[in-house]
Amino acid sequence: MKKFIINHYDVKSVKIGKSWDKTKIVMLSDLHDNSYGIDLDEVYRNILMIHPDYIMIAGDMYNGEPGCANKNAEQFLTKLAGKFPVYYGLGNHEYRLMIHPDRYEGMYAEFMAMIRKTGIHLLKNESMEVKRQNSSIIVSGLMLDYTF
């Protein structure tokens, strides 16, 4: 697919404090280092127009293919993290890089270096409290077994 889709959802719950009213969260996944030819500059411009408070990533921004430099994903994530708080749960492609470092020749180490450099919050089978004024939500990242 060579397009991206924007969907808007309003989430309302008495369990979420009033300080979260009008909070905007952008959820991204499966860009696979732009292997589908999506214009990442256009995606970034659309994100800027939304004015999100947070970026949540559901994995597979990197492409888990041997020899893939993942520079498109790295540049895109670096731009996002320079402007917004970013929370990142691993997808199966990042997980693959992690569990097979010999096959992917240091690609996971490069991914982790980018995570550290940009300050992205990486969630590997863990949760993090995100506070907003006097209220908070819990954001979690779950790594599924590779055979899943």
Side-chain angles (χ1 to χ4, degrees), residues 92-104:
N92 67 311
H93 281 252
E94 293 90 357
Y95 183 69
R96 183 184 312 163
L97 301 179
M98 182 181 75
I99 65 172
H100 298 294
D102 52 324
R103 187 182 310 161
Y104 297 102

Side-chain angles (χ1 to χ4, degrees), residues 19-141:
S19 60
W20 289 90
D21 287 358
K22 301 200 188 306
T23 299
K24 294 180 182 177
I25 297 172
V26 168
M27 174 69 76
L28 298 170
S29 71
D30 295 286
L31 291 179
H32 296 279
D33 190 50
N34 199 24
S35 62
Y36 300 122
I38 295 170
D39 183 348
L40 292 180
D41 289 331
E42 182 183 357
V43 174
Y44 185 73
R45 284 191 301 274
N46 276 272
I47 291 170
L48 291 178
M49 287 191 297
I50 293 169
H51 303 289
D53 298 287
Y54 305 95
I55 306 287
M56 306 292 175
I57 296 177
D60 290 351
M61 300 297 280
Y62 268 52
N63 198 3
E65 297 295 328
C68 182
N70 286 301
K71 293 300 178 197
N72 295 312
E74 183 178 330
Q75 291 170 358
F76 182 68
L77 292 167
T78 299
K79 278 188 359 183
L80 287 175
K83 192 117 176 102
F84 310 102
V86 177
Y87 297 84
Y88 198 125
L90 296 183
N92 67 311
H93 281 252
E94 293 90 357
Y95 183 69
R96 183 184 312 163
L97 301 179
M98 182 181 75
I99 65 172
H100 298 294
D102 52 324
R103 187 182 310 161
Y104 297 102
E105 303 168 355
M107 291 169 67
Y108 188 72
E110 291 173 7
F111 169 73
M112 288 305 298
M114 182 275 302
I115 293 291
R116 284 189 295 276
K117 179 180 78 174
T118 59
I120 290 173
H121 304 281
L122 184 62
L123 301 167
K124 295 182 349 186
N125 284 337
E126 59 190 316
S127 298
M128 178 178 280
E129 183 179 28
V130 180
K131 295 183 180 190
R132 190 166 178 88
Q133 297 171 4
N134 61 349
S135 183
S136 63
I137 61 171
I138 303 296
V139 178
S140 300

